[in-house]
PDB file of all heavy atoms in Angstrom:
ATOM      1  N   GLY Z   1      -6.222  10.851 -20.531  1.00 96.00           N
ATOM      2  CA  GLY Z   1      -4.934  10.180 -20.663  1.00 96.00           C
ATOM      3  C   GLY Z   1      -5.000   8.699 -20.298  1.00 96.00           C
ATOM      4  O   GLY Z   1      -4.068   8.122 -19.731  1.00 96.00           O
ATOM      5  N   THR Z   2      -6.136   8.078 -20.671  1.00 97.00           N
ATOM      6  CA  THR Z   2      -6.361   6.648 -20.392  1.00 97.00           C
ATOM      7  C   THR Z   2      -5.148   5.765 -20.696  1.00 97.00           C
ATOM      8  O   THR Z   2      -4.806   4.894 -19.914  1.00 97.00           O
ATOM      9  CB  THR Z   2      -7.563   6.163 -21.243  1.00 97.00           C
ATOM     10  OG1 THR Z   2      -8.751   6.770 -20.759  1.00 97.00           O
ATOM     11  CG2 THR Z   2      -7.728   4.652 -21.176  1.00 97.00           C
ATOM     12  N   ALA Z   3      -4.511   6.014 -21.825  1.00 98.00           N
ATOM     13  CA  ALA Z   3      -3.449   5.115 -22.272  1.00 98.00           C
ATOM     14  C   ALA Z   3      -2.206   5.151 -21.364  1.00 98.00           C
ATOM     15  O   ALA Z   3      -1.392   4.233 -21.410  1.00 98.00           O
ATOM     16  CB  ALA Z   3      -3.038   5.465 -23.712  1.00 98.00           C
ATOM     17  N   ARG Z   4      -2.078   6.189 -20.542  1.00 98.00           N
ATOM     18  CA  ARG Z   4      -0.941   6.206 -19.611  1.00 98.00           C
ATOM     19  C   ARG Z   4      -1.106   5.137 -18.521  1.00 98.00           C
ATOM     20  O   ARG Z   4      -0.159   4.402 -18.213  1.00 98.00           O
ATOM     21  CB  ARG Z   4      -0.812   7.578 -18.960  1.00 98.00           C
ATOM     22  CG  ARG Z   4      -0.525   8.711 -19.940  1.00 98.00           C
ATOM     23  CD  ARG Z   4      -0.265  10.042 -19.221  1.00 98.00           C
ATOM     24  NE  ARG Z   4      -0.141  11.137 -20.170  1.00 98.00           N
ATOM     25  CZ  ARG Z   4      -1.077  12.033 -20.393  1.00 98.00           C
ATOM     26  NH1 ARG Z   4      -2.209  12.013 -19.701  1.00 98.00           N
ATOM     27  NH2 ARG Z   4      -0.886  13.000 -21.261  1.00 98.00           N
ATOM     28  N   SER Z   5      -2.311   5.034 -17.971  1.00 98.00           N
ATOM     29  CA  SER Z   5      -2.562   4.010 -16.954  1.00 98.00           C
ATOM     30  C   SER Z   5      -2.465   2.619 -17.586  1.00 98.00           C
ATOM     31  O   SER Z   5      -1.936   1.679 -16.992  1.00 98.00           O
ATOM     32  CB  SER Z   5      -3.946   4.195 -16.351  1.00 98.00           C
ATOM     33  OG  SER Z   5      -4.065   5.477 -15.749  1.00 98.00           O
ATOM     34  N   GLU Z   6      -2.997   2.490 -18.778  1.00 98.00           N
ATOM     35  CA  GLU Z   6      -2.952   1.213 -19.509  1.00 98.00           C
ATOM     36  C   GLU Z   6      -1.501   0.790 -19.765  1.00 98.00           C
ATOM     37  O   GLU Z   6      -1.132  -0.397 -19.569  1.00 98.00           O
ATOM     38  CB  GLU Z   6      -3.692   1.396 -20.851  1.00 98.00           C
ATOM     39  CG  GLU Z   6      -3.777   0.188 -21.699  1.00 98.00           C
ATOM     40  CD  GLU Z   6      -4.588   0.457 -22.972  1.00 98.00           C
ATOM     41  OE1 GLU Z   6      -5.306   1.486 -23.037  1.00 98.00           O
ATOM     42  OE2 GLU Z   6      -4.498  -0.364 -23.900  1.00 98.00           O
ATOM     43  N   TYR Z   7      -0.669   1.746 -20.153  1.00 98.00           N
ATOM     44  CA  TYR Z   7       0.735   1.484 -20.438  1.00 98.00           C
ATOM     45  C   TYR Z   7       1.433   0.933 -19.195  1.00 98.00           C
ATOM     46  O   TYR Z   7       2.181  -0.059 -19.245  1.00 98.00           O
ATOM     47  CB  TYR Z   7       1.391   2.766 -20.909  1.00 98.00           C
ATOM     48  CG  TYR Z   7       2.910   2.715 -21.072  1.00 98.00           C
ATOM     49  CD1 TYR Z   7       3.492   2.118 -22.165  1.00 98.00           C
ATOM     50  CD2 TYR Z   7       3.729   3.293 -20.115  1.00 98.00           C
ATOM     51  CE1 TYR Z   7       4.873   2.083 -22.324  1.00 98.00           C
ATOM     52  CE2 TYR Z   7       5.119   3.279 -20.244  1.00 98.00           C
ATOM     53  CZ  TYR Z   7       5.681   2.667 -21.354  1.00 98.00           C
ATOM     54  OH  TYR Z   7       7.051   2.651 -21.490  1.00 98.00           O
ATOM     55  N   GLU Z   8       1.214   1.590 -18.047  1.00 98.00           N
ATOM     56  CA  GLU Z   8       1.862   1.103 -16.819  1.00 98.00           C
ATOM     57  C   GLU Z   8       1.420  -0.300 -16.443  1.00 98.00           C
ATOM     58  O   GLU Z   8       2.227  -1.155 -16.096  1.00 98.00           O
ATOM     59  CB  GLU Z   8       1.548   2.082 -15.661  1.00 98.00           C
ATOM     60  CG  GLU Z   8       2.285   3.391 -15.747  1.00 98.00           C
ATOM     61  CD  GLU Z   8       2.374   4.109 -14.403  1.00 98.00           C
ATOM     62  OE1 GLU Z   8       1.667   3.721 -13.442  1.00 98.00           O
ATOM     63  OE2 GLU Z   8       3.172   5.070 -14.298  1.00 98.00           O
ATOM     64  N   ALA Z   9       0.117  -0.547 -16.512  1.00 98.00           N
ATOM     65  CA  ALA Z   9      -0.417  -1.845 -16.101  1.00 98.00           C
ATOM     66  C   ALA Z   9       0.092  -2.973 -17.002  1.00 98.00           C
ATOM     67  O   ALA Z   9       0.388  -4.085 -16.512  1.00 98.00           O
ATOM     68  CB  ALA Z   9      -1.936  -1.803 -16.077  1.00 98.00           C
ATOM     69  N   LEU Z  10       0.194  -2.730 -18.283  1.00 98.00           N
ATOM     70  CA  LEU Z  10       0.561  -3.789 -19.244  1.00 98.00           C
ATOM     71  C   LEU Z  10       2.063  -3.981 -19.373  1.00 98.00           C
ATOM     72  O   LEU Z  10       2.502  -5.084 -19.723  1.00 98.00           O
ATOM     73  CB  LEU Z  10      -0.048  -3.502 -20.611  1.00 98.00           C
ATOM     74  CG  LEU Z  10      -1.571  -3.660 -20.730  1.00 98.00           C
ATOM     75  CD1 LEU Z  10      -2.038  -3.282 -22.131  1.00 98.00           C
ATOM     76  CD2 LEU Z  10      -2.019  -5.072 -20.390  1.00 98.00           C
ATOM     77  N   THR Z  11       2.854  -2.937 -19.138  1.00 98.00           N
ATOM     78  CA  THR Z  11       4.310  -3.076 -19.373  1.00 98.00           C
ATOM     79  C   THR Z  11       5.112  -3.135 -18.085  1.00 98.00           C
ATOM     80  O   THR Z  11       6.232  -3.665 -18.101  1.00 98.00           O
ATOM     81  CB  THR Z  11       4.839  -1.872 -20.176  1.00 98.00           C
ATOM     82  OG1 THR Z  11       4.730  -0.671 -19.388  1.00 98.00           O
ATOM     83  CG2 THR Z  11       4.085  -1.710 -21.487  1.00 98.00           C
ATOM     84  N   GLY Z  12       4.603  -2.583 -16.983  1.00 98.00           N
ATOM     85  CA  GLY Z  12       5.399  -2.485 -15.773  1.00 98.00           C
ATOM     86  C   GLY Z  12       6.292  -1.258 -15.748  1.00 98.00           C
ATOM     87  O   GLY Z  12       6.929  -0.958 -14.754  1.00 98.00           O
ATOM     88  N   ASN Z  13       6.339  -0.539 -16.864  1.00 98.00           N
ATOM     89  CA  ASN Z  13       7.110   0.708 -16.912  1.00 98.00           C
ATOM     90  C   ASN Z  13       6.346   1.825 -16.197  1.00 98.00           C
ATOM     91  O   ASN Z  13       5.124   1.786 -16.110  1.00 98.00           O
ATOM     92  CB  ASN Z  13       7.387   1.122 -18.355  1.00 98.00           C
ATOM     93  CG  ASN Z  13       8.267   0.148 -19.089  1.00 98.00           C
ATOM     94  OD1 ASN Z  13       9.074  -0.563 -18.460  1.00 98.00           O
ATOM     95  ND2 ASN Z  13       8.129   0.071 -20.410  1.00 98.00           N
ATOM     96  N   SER Z  14       7.058   2.812 -15.712  1.00 98.00           N
ATOM     97  CA  SER Z  14       6.448   3.906 -14.964  1.00 98.00           C
ATOM     98  C   SER Z  14       6.507   5.205 -15.758  1.00 98.00           C
ATOM     99  O   SER Z  14       7.530   5.556 -16.326  1.00 98.00           O
ATOM    100  CB  SER Z  14       7.168   4.102 -13.617  1.00 98.00           C
ATOM    101  OG  SER Z  14       6.654   5.231 -12.943  1.00 98.00           O
ATOM    102  N   MET Z  15       5.382   5.918 -15.776  1.00 97.00           N
ATOM    103  CA  MET Z  15       5.329   7.259 -16.370  1.00 97.00           C
ATOM    104  C   MET Z  15       6.200   8.239 -15.603  1.00 97.00           C
ATOM    105  O   MET Z  15       6.538   9.300 -16.091  1.00 97.00           O
ATOM    106  CB  MET Z  15       3.895   7.755 -16.399  1.00 97.00           C
ATOM    107  CG  MET Z  15       2.978   7.070 -17.383  1.00 97.00           C
ATOM    108  SD  MET Z  15       3.469   7.266 -19.102  1.00 97.00           S
ATOM    109  CE  MET Z  15       3.492   9.055 -19.284  1.00 97.00           C
ATOM    110  N   SER Z  16       6.621   7.862 -14.395  1.00 97.00           N
ATOM    111  CA  SER Z  16       7.422   8.751 -13.555  1.00 97.00           C
ATOM    112  C   SER Z  16       8.739   9.135 -14.242  1.00 97.00           C
ATOM    113  O   SER Z  16       9.300  10.189 -13.954  1.00 97.00           O
ATOM    114  CB  SER Z  16       7.709   8.054 -12.222  1.00 97.00           C
ATOM    115  OG  SER Z  16       8.483   8.874 -11.375  1.00 97.00           O
ATOM    116  N   PHE Z  17       9.210   8.272 -15.151  1.00 97.00           N
ATOM    117  CA  PHE Z  17      10.498   8.516 -15.814  1.00 97.00           C
ATOM    118  C   PHE Z  17      10.334   9.144 -17.200  1.00 97.00           C
ATOM    119  O   PHE Z  17      11.323   9.276 -17.924  1.00 97.00           O
ATOM    120  CB  PHE Z  17      11.289   7.225 -15.928  1.00 97.00           C
ATOM    121  CG  PHE Z  17      11.494   6.517 -14.610  1.00 97.00           C
ATOM    122  CD1 PHE Z  17      11.077   5.206 -14.429  1.00 97.00           C
ATOM    123  CD2 PHE Z  17      12.058   7.177 -13.532  1.00 97.00           C
ATOM    124  CE1 PHE Z  17      11.232   4.555 -13.222  1.00 97.00           C
ATOM    125  CE2 PHE Z  17      12.246   6.528 -12.315  1.00 97.00           C
ATOM    126  CZ  PHE Z  17      11.812   5.199 -12.153  1.00 97.00           C
ATOM    127  N   LEU Z  18       9.103   9.450 -17.578  1.00 96.00           N
ATOM    128  CA  LEU Z  18       8.825   9.963 -18.904  1.00 96.00           C
ATOM    129  C   LEU Z  18       8.332  11.415 -18.821  1.00 96.00           C
ATOM    130  O   LEU Z  18       7.833  11.830 -17.765  1.00 96.00           O
ATOM    131  CB  LEU Z  18       7.792   9.100 -19.585  1.00 96.00           C
ATOM    132  CG  LEU Z  18       8.188   7.617 -19.767  1.00 96.00           C
ATOM    133  CD1 LEU Z  18       7.072   6.814 -20.389  1.00 96.00           C
ATOM    134  CD2 LEU Z  18       9.460   7.505 -20.620  1.00 96.00           C
ATOM    135  N   PRO Z  19       8.424  12.192 -19.890  1.00 92.00           N
ATOM    136  CA  PRO Z  19       8.010  13.590 -19.830  1.00 92.00           C
ATOM    137  C   PRO Z  19       6.544  13.727 -19.443  1.00 92.00           C
ATOM    138  O   PRO Z  19       5.676  12.979 -19.914  1.00 92.00           O
ATOM    139  CB  PRO Z  19       8.233  14.054 -21.273  1.00 92.00           C
ATOM    140  CG  PRO Z  19       9.278  13.162 -21.820  1.00 92.00           C
ATOM    141  CD  PRO Z  19       9.036  11.835 -21.194  1.00 92.00           C
ATOM    142  N   SER Z  20       6.256  14.669 -18.571  1.00 88.00           N
ATOM    143  CA  SER Z  20       4.910  14.934 -18.142  1.00 88.00           C
ATOM    144  C   SER Z  20       4.053  15.306 -19.353  1.00 88.00           C
ATOM    145  O   SER Z  20       4.419  16.163 -20.149  1.00 88.00           O
ATOM    146  CB  SER Z  20       4.876  16.069 -17.130  1.00 88.00           C
ATOM    147  OG  SER Z  20       3.565  16.430 -16.792  1.00 88.00           O
ATOM    148  N   GLY Z  21       2.916  14.635 -19.486  1.00 87.00           N
ATOM    149  CA  GLY Z  21       2.019  14.921 -20.605  1.00 87.00           C
ATOM    150  C   GLY Z  21       2.227  14.032 -21.806  1.00 87.00           C
ATOM    151  O   GLY Z  21       1.425  14.018 -22.732  1.00 87.00           O
ATOM    152  N   SER Z  22       3.302  13.258 -21.820  1.00 92.00           N
ATOM    153  CA  SER Z  22       3.554  12.376 -22.961  1.00 92.00           C
ATOM    154  C   SER Z  22       2.657  11.152 -22.885  1.00 92.00           C
ATOM    155  O   SER Z  22       2.152  10.770 -21.823  1.00 92.00           O
ATOM    156  CB  SER Z  22       5.026  11.935 -22.985  1.00 92.00           C
ATOM    157  OG  SER Z  22       5.334  11.148 -21.850  1.00 92.00           O
ATOM    158  N   VAL Z  23       2.432  10.524 -24.031  1.00 94.00           N
ATOM    159  CA  VAL Z  23       1.635   9.303 -24.129  1.00 94.00           C
ATOM    160  C   VAL Z  23       2.482   8.247 -24.829  1.00 94.00           C
ATOM    161  O   VAL Z  23       2.668   8.320 -26.052  1.00 94.00           O
ATOM    162  CB  VAL Z  23       0.308   9.524 -24.866  1.00 94.00           C
ATOM    163  CG1 VAL Z  23      -0.499   8.237 -24.940  1.00 94.00           C
ATOM    164  CG2 VAL Z  23      -0.509  10.642 -24.208  1.00 94.00           C
ATOM    165  N   PRO Z  24       3.013   7.263 -24.108  1.00 96.00           N
ATOM    166  CA  PRO Z  24       3.924   6.302 -24.719  1.00 96.00           C
ATOM    167  C   PRO Z  24       3.371   5.599 -25.938  1.00 96.00           C
ATOM    168  O   PRO Z  24       4.124   5.322 -26.897  1.00 96.00           O
ATOM    169  CB  PRO Z  24       4.194   5.308 -23.559  1.00 96.00           C
ATOM    170  CG  PRO Z  24       4.026   6.134 -22.340  1.00 96.00           C
ATOM    171  CD  PRO Z  24       2.907   7.088 -22.659  1.00 96.00           C
ATOM    172  N   TYR Z  25       2.065   5.302 -25.946  1.00 97.00           N
ATOM    173  CA  TYR Z  25       1.468   4.614 -27.084  1.00 97.00           C
ATOM    174  C   TYR Z  25       1.680   5.375 -28.386  1.00 97.00           C
ATOM    175  O   TYR Z  25       1.703   4.803 -29.456  1.00 97.00           O
ATOM    176  CB  TYR Z  25      -0.031   4.404 -26.861  1.00 97.00           C
ATOM    177  CG  TYR Z  25      -0.396   3.184 -26.029  1.00 97.00           C
ATOM    178  CD1 TYR Z  25       0.541   2.513 -25.274  1.00 97.00           C
ATOM    179  CD2 TYR Z  25      -1.695   2.715 -26.035  1.00 97.00           C
ATOM    180  CE1 TYR Z  25       0.200   1.418 -24.506  1.00 97.00           C
ATOM    181  CE2 TYR Z  25      -2.075   1.623 -25.281  1.00 97.00           C
ATOM    182  CZ  TYR Z  25      -1.127   0.971 -24.520  1.00 97.00           C
ATOM    183  OH  TYR Z  25      -1.482  -0.121 -23.763  1.00 97.00           O
ATOM    184  N   GLN Z  26       1.783   6.679 -28.304  1.00 92.00           N
ATOM    185  CA  GLN Z  26       1.926   7.507 -29.487  1.00 92.00           C
ATOM    186  C   GLN Z  26       3.364   7.854 -29.830  1.00 92.00           C
ATOM    187  O   GLN Z  26       3.649   8.327 -30.926  1.00 92.00           O
ATOM    188  CB  GLN Z  26       1.121   8.813 -29.309  1.00 92.00           C
ATOM    189  CG  GLN Z  26      -0.382   8.584 -29.126  1.00 92.00           C
ATOM    190  CD  GLN Z  26      -1.127   9.868 -28.832  1.00 92.00           C
ATOM    191  OE1 GLN Z  26      -0.641  10.719 -28.093  1.00 92.00           O
ATOM    192  NE2 GLN Z  26      -2.323  10.011 -29.408  1.00 92.00           N
ATOM    193  N   LEU Z  27       4.274   7.592 -28.890  1.00 92.00           N
ATOM    194  CA  LEU Z  27       5.637   8.090 -29.066  1.00 92.00           C
ATOM    195  C   LEU Z  27       6.722   7.036 -28.886  1.00 92.00           C
ATOM    196  O   LEU Z  27       7.727   7.080 -29.589  1.00 92.00           O
ATOM    197  CB  LEU Z  27       5.900   9.227 -28.059  1.00 92.00           C
ATOM    198  CG  LEU Z  27       5.122  10.518 -28.264  1.00 92.00           C
ATOM    199  CD1 LEU Z  27       5.175  11.376 -27.003  1.00 92.00           C
ATOM    200  CD2 LEU Z  27       5.659  11.280 -29.446  1.00 92.00           C
ATOM    201  N   TYR Z  28       6.561   6.125 -27.943  1.00 95.00           N
ATOM    202  CA  TYR Z  28       7.715   5.355 -27.501  1.00 95.00           C
ATOM    203  C   TYR Z  28       7.619   3.853 -27.696  1.00 95.00           C
ATOM    204  O   TYR Z  28       8.604   3.135 -27.500  1.00 95.00           O
ATOM    205  CB  TYR Z  28       7.987   5.625 -25.997  1.00 95.00           C
ATOM    206  CG  TYR Z  28       8.055   7.082 -25.643  1.00 95.00           C
ATOM    207  CD1 TYR Z  28       7.314   7.601 -24.574  1.00 95.00           C
ATOM    208  CD2 TYR Z  28       8.824   7.976 -26.370  1.00 95.00           C
ATOM    209  CE1 TYR Z  28       7.377   8.936 -24.248  1.00 95.00           C
ATOM    210  CE2 TYR Z  28       8.892   9.322 -26.047  1.00 95.00           C
ATOM    211  CZ  TYR Z  28       8.144   9.796 -24.991  1.00 95.00           C
ATOM    212  OH  TYR Z  28       8.199  11.106 -24.656  1.00 95.00           O
ATOM    213  N   VAL Z  29       6.459   3.322 -28.028  1.00 94.00           N
ATOM    214  CA  VAL Z  29       6.299   1.869 -28.114  1.00 94.00           C
ATOM    215  C   VAL Z  29       7.187   1.313 -29.221  1.00 94.00           C
ATOM    216  O   VAL Z  29       7.244   1.860 -30.323  1.00 94.00           O
ATOM    217  CB  VAL Z  29       4.831   1.491 -28.342  1.00 94.00           C
ATOM    218  CG1 VAL Z  29       4.697   0.022 -28.723  1.00 94.00           C
ATOM    219  CG2 VAL Z  29       4.032   1.763 -27.063  1.00 94.00           C
ATOM    220  N   ARG Z  30       7.847   0.207 -28.913  1.00 95.00           N
ATOM    221  CA  ARG Z  30       8.723  -0.431 -29.903  1.00 95.00           C
ATOM    222  C   ARG Z  30       8.202  -1.825 -30.225  1.00 95.00           C
ATOM    223  O   ARG Z  30       7.257  -2.302 -29.603  1.00 95.00           O
ATOM    224  CB  ARG Z  30      10.156  -0.489 -29.361  1.00 95.00           C
ATOM    225  CG  ARG Z  30      10.316  -1.247 -28.057  1.00 95.00           C
ATOM    226  CD  ARG Z  30      11.574  -0.845 -27.321  1.00 95.00           C
ATOM    227  NE  ARG Z  30      12.770  -0.963 -28.107  1.00 95.00           N
ATOM    228  CZ  ARG Z  30      13.981  -0.552 -27.733  1.00 95.00           C
ATOM    229  NH1 ARG Z  30      14.117   0.056 -26.551  1.00 95.00           N
ATOM    230  NH2 ARG Z  30      15.039  -0.700 -28.498  1.00 95.00           N
ATOM    231  N   ASP Z  31       8.783  -2.462 -31.162  1.00 96.00           N
ATOM    232  CA  ASP Z  31       8.362  -3.806 -31.600  1.00 96.00           C
ATOM    233  C   ASP Z  31       9.557  -4.751 -31.456  1.00 96.00           C
ATOM    234  O   ASP Z  31      10.526  -4.617 -32.204  1.00 96.00           O
ATOM    235  CB  ASP Z  31       7.860  -3.772 -33.030  1.00 96.00           C
ATOM    236  CG  ASP Z  31       7.223  -5.056 -33.479  1.00 96.00           C
ATOM    237  OD1 ASP Z  31       7.061  -5.978 -32.634  1.00 96.00           O
ATOM    238  OD2 ASP Z  31       6.876  -5.163 -34.669  1.00 96.00           O
ATOM    239  N   PRO Z  32       9.518  -5.691 -30.501  1.00 97.00           N
ATOM    240  CA  PRO Z  32       8.394  -6.016 -29.612  1.00 97.00           C
ATOM    241  C   PRO Z  32       8.361  -5.097 -28.389  1.00 97.00           C
ATOM    242  O   PRO Z  32       9.380  -4.567 -27.969  1.00 97.00           O
ATOM    243  CB  PRO Z  32       8.686  -7.434 -29.177  1.00 97.00           C
ATOM    244  CG  PRO Z  32      10.182  -7.547 -29.226  1.00 97.00           C
ATOM    245  CD  PRO Z  32      10.614  -6.672 -30.363  1.00 97.00           C
ATOM    246  N   GLU Z  33       7.156  -4.923 -27.850  1.00 98.00           N
ATOM    247  CA  GLU Z  33       6.927  -4.178 -26.606  1.00 98.00           C
ATOM    248  C   GLU Z  33       6.639  -5.190 -25.511  1.00 98.00           C
ATOM    249  O   GLU Z  33       5.572  -5.780 -25.441  1.00 98.00           O
ATOM    250  CB  GLU Z  33       5.759  -3.208 -26.762  1.00 98.00           C
ATOM    251  CG  GLU Z  33       5.447  -2.428 -25.505  1.00 98.00           C
ATOM    252  CD  GLU Z  33       6.445  -1.320 -25.204  1.00 98.00           C
ATOM    253  OE1 GLU Z  33       7.258  -0.974 -26.096  1.00 98.00           O
ATOM    254  OE2 GLU Z  33       6.413  -0.805 -24.072  1.00 98.00           O
ATOM    255  N   TYR Z  34       7.659  -5.433 -24.671  1.00 98.00           N
ATOM    256  CA  TYR Z  34       7.534  -6.501 -23.681  1.00 98.00           C
ATOM    257  C   TYR Z  34       6.568  -6.129 -22.558  1.00 98.00           C
ATOM    258  O   TYR Z  34       6.445  -4.961 -22.197  1.00 98.00           O
ATOM    259  CB  TYR Z  34       8.906  -6.841 -23.108  1.00 98.00           C
ATOM    260  CG  TYR Z  34       9.891  -7.348 -24.125  1.00 98.00           C
ATOM    261  CD1 TYR Z  34      11.098  -6.695 -24.336  1.00 98.00           C
ATOM    262  CD2 TYR Z  34       9.576  -8.436 -24.918  1.00 98.00           C
ATOM    263  CE1 TYR Z  34      12.011  -7.133 -25.290  1.00 98.00           C
ATOM    264  CE2 TYR Z  34      10.474  -8.896 -25.887  1.00 98.00           C
ATOM    265  CZ  TYR Z  34      11.689  -8.246 -26.067  1.00 98.00           C
ATOM    266  OH  TYR Z  34      12.562  -8.689 -27.030  1.00 98.00           O
ATOM    267  N   GLY Z  35       5.907  -7.137 -22.020  1.00 98.00           N
ATOM    268  CA  GLY Z  35       4.957  -6.880 -20.929  1.00 98.00           C
ATOM    269  C   GLY Z  35       4.042  -8.064 -20.714  1.00 98.00           C
ATOM    270  O   GLY Z  35       4.348  -9.210 -21.102  1.00 98.00           O
ATOM    271  N   LEU Z  36       2.916  -7.794 -20.111  1.00 98.00           N
ATOM    272  CA  LEU Z  36       2.011  -8.842 -19.668  1.00 98.00           C
ATOM    273  C   LEU Z  36       1.530  -9.759 -20.786  1.00 98.00           C
ATOM    274  O   LEU Z  36       1.525 -10.982 -20.626  1.00 98.00           O
ATOM    275  CB  LEU Z  36       0.800  -8.179 -18.951  1.00 98.00           C
ATOM    276  CG  LEU Z  36      -0.186  -9.119 -18.247  1.00 98.00           C
ATOM    277  CD1 LEU Z  36       0.505  -9.947 -17.171  1.00 98.00           C
ATOM    278  CD2 LEU Z  36      -1.313  -8.310 -17.667  1.00 98.00           C
ATOM    279  N   ALA Z  37       1.106  -9.174 -21.904  1.00 98.00           N
ATOM    280  CA  ALA Z  37       0.592 -10.006 -23.007  1.00 98.00           C
ATOM    281  C   ALA Z  37       1.664 -10.950 -23.524  1.00 98.00           C
ATOM    282  O   ALA Z  37       1.420 -12.154 -23.743  1.00 98.00           O
ATOM    283  CB  ALA Z  37       0.068  -9.108 -24.121  1.00 98.00           C
TER     284      ALA Z  37
END
């Protein structure tokens, strides 16, 4: 689940509020996706 840690570090969002086992990169990312970049 590499992308879960990546998602938190780059966006500041927490997996704590998302369904267990989900991967935001595959389900929830929007355009634009605000964060560090």
Side-chain angles (χ1 to χ4, degrees):
T2 291
R4 297 186 186 105
S5 301
E6 182 177 344
Y7 172 79
E8 287 201 346
L10 289 178
T11 67
N13 295 333
S14 174
M15 289 296 303
S16 180
F17 305 124
L18 301 176
S20 175
S22 65
V23 181
Y25 276 15
Q26 298 175 320
L27 293 164
Y28 309 130
V29 167
R30 59 202 305 173
D31 189 5
E33 178 73 14
Y34 298 123
L36 187 59

